[in-house]
Amino acid sequence: MSALDKIKKMLKGHEDQAGKGIDKAGDMVDDRTQGKYRKHVDTAQDRLKQQFGTERDQDGPPRG
C-alpha cells in the first residue's frame, strides 16, 4: 500500500476537514510569499483536493 493510499484511508470520512486544511496551508504560503506563487499554490490546492476527494459539488458527492 502506497503512502498516498494510507493518507486517503485516514482521511475517509473527514474530507471537509482535509479540504479546509489544504485551503489554510495554501493561504499561509500565499501570505508568506506575498502572492508571488499564487497560481502555483492554487493549482496545487486543486490537485490535492481532487486526489483526496475533498472537492464536492453543490449536492455533496465527491467529484471525479
Side-chain angles (χ1 to χ4, degrees):
M1 179 181 280
S2 72
L4 186 58
D5 291 335
K6 289 180 183 179
I7 293 171
K8 285 181 182 180
K9 188 175 180 181
M10 287 186 334
L11 293 177
K12 191 170 186 171
H14 304 283
E15 292 86 2
D16 293 338
Q17 290 175 328
K20 289 178 187 177
I22 291 168
D23 287 337
K24 196 171 193 178
D27 292 344
M28 184 192 71
V29 172
D30 279 339
D31 288 342
R32 288 245 168 126
T33 61
Q34 299 172 349
K36 185 176 181 180
Y37 303 104
R38 181 166 287 143
K39 290 181 184 178
H40 298 288
V41 171
D42 290 344
T43 301
Q45 285 175 310
D46 291 342
R47 289 189 181 174
L48 281 169
K49 288 179 181 182
Q50 288 173 355
Q51 192 70 34
F52 294 128
T54 59
E55 285 193 274
R56 297 190 179 268
D57 291 331
Q58 296 275 343
D59 298 333
R63 291 194 292 187

